[in-house]
Amino acid sequence: MVFVVAIVAAVVVLLALVGTLVRRRRRWRNKGMVLAPEFQTRDHAPVSHAEPGYAEMSYDDWWESDFFSDRSLEPPRSEPAKAPEHPARSWEAIPAERSEPVDLTKSAAKEIARQRRQRAEERRRKLLLRGGIQYEDDASLAREQQLGAGGQGAVYGLVDNTGQVAKYWDLPLTRGAREFEELVHRRTDVEAAVSGHPIHLCWPESPVRRGGELIGYTMPRIGGQFYFEMTFGSVTKKHARELQHAIPRKQGAVPFPFEVDDRQRLELVYLVAVFLDGMHRNDLVYGDFSWMNFTFSLDPVELCVLDFDSSRVQGSLPFTRSLPLDSPNWEDPQWHGSTVVRMDSDRYKFALFAYRMLVAKSLDAEIDPDRAAEWGRDTGSTMLSGLWSRAIGVAGTRPPMSQWVAALEQIRHETPDLQPF
């Protein structure tokens, strides 16, 4: 009997020792371990680990530096993450089969790097859905003769692609890749907004790079209907039909081989309004408004928009990283010297353009509300008088482009024959 009791006592002691050892080993293995993500809580409430949707992502998060580089246009790549000094809530759960001590700092770094890779991959997938961007190497582009030049660069024809041209800047750009890509992506949105109207956009398409620097881009070539020919002696030259050519020439000047009547001028003003409204509806500012940035055709009337170098998403920098440019006689007095381009200035410049086209028929006239009101009474187009008066008012109170579009649409239907002022 005594022998049996001794055996039972020995078994109990042995089981107790085994249980103690198991508990100590389990505590040692689980030291620093947190619950799996689906069971983590904060203040007794489940924690959501879902990635934010595209529409909810902030601008800074979308253009995170591990995906887009401000320095070059090299293919995006992830950067190794640095572990925080106090990784309190980002430790990953330790697999059950591991038995060695856990390096919490290394584990936190791995988790952060994994999350960043996951976000970058999600952005890449969404960019592919938006129609990724094709980069051109300068060495692979065979240029033809120079077609034109401006204050920032020159435009050349392409040997292998007669439907496109390439614009090269005088100086390469080392920053602005992400702003350029965002502008390229928004082309389809603007085209959808102006669909149904004879508006052509020479929108930037493929960035051209040399040694990792942005030196220019390709864009559609201006259609042949937007040119006209003039002969001087034995020389015939082709010229782009810019909007300034819709203004009657002064007496004594060489006449153009075409004429633009009041009805066609109204149609051109309407098309420019539709274009700017499409830009603003997609949170884009056009920027540098001038006569030379628009060309047109007659029979039928069509509009072609050029030069998007100053365009940008509202509130962001332009991809050229240049200060705002205003062509002579197009400066906005309310924002003179401002380093920010606003839709408010687009609205003012359009009002100035419409006044010069319809009322003053002048390249440099300033808005005169009294003259605009008199023009309205004579032509029956009084709807525009109030818009012109508001357009020269305090900054921020100028009528949006949608109001101009609505007024011009009504005038087009109600005044089939505008009388000269």
Side-chain angles (χ1 to χ4, degrees), residues 119-175:
R119 289 197 299 269
E121 185 60 34
E122 181 69 12
R123 288 192 292 271
R124 289 187 182 95
R125 184 186 68 81
K126 288 168 180 173
L127 272 183
L128 290 176
L129 292 176
R130 297 173 71 187
I133 295 176
Q134 177 182 354
Y135 294 88
E136 297 286 353
D137 192 338
D138 177 49
S140 65
L141 293 179
R143 284 186 273 176
E144 293 179 341
Q145 75 280 5
Q146 180 176 309
L147 302 177
Q152 292 182 304
V155 177
Y156 298 85
L158 297 177
V159 175
D160 300 327
N161 191 340
T162 57
Q164 284 193 324
V165 295
K167 181 169 184 177
Y168 285 81
W169 291 295
D170 296 331
L171 297 174
L173 305 180
T174 57
R175 300 172 65 93

Side-chain angles (χ1 to χ4, degrees), residues 30-45:
N30 292 344
K31 184 178 180 181
M33 190 179 88
V34 298
L35 296 176
E38 61 268 25
F39 295 107
Q40 290 184 21
T41 60
R42 183 179 300 166
D43 299 331
H44 308 286

Side-chain angles (χ1 to χ4, degrees), residues 20-34:
T20 301
L21 291 175
V22 169
R23 286 193 297 274
R24 287 183 178 180
R25 183 172 181 271
R26 185 174 299 168
R27 284 197 301 271
W28 174 70
R29 286 177 56 192
N30 292 344
K31 184 178 180 181
M33 190 179 88
V34 298

Side-chain angles (χ1 to χ4, degrees), residues 182-183 186-187 189-190 203 276-287 308 311-314 343 346:
E182 183 61 25
L183 182 66
R186 298 206 182 197
R187 172 183 180 173
D189 298 328
V190 177
W203 201 281
L276 289 177
D277 185 47
M279 293 281 285
H280 291 184
R281 287 178 183 273
N282 287 284
D283 203 27
L284 290 169
V285 181
Y286 181 61
F308 289 86
S311 301
R312 81 285 304 275
V313 176
Q314 171 86 332
M343 291 181 186
D346 276 357

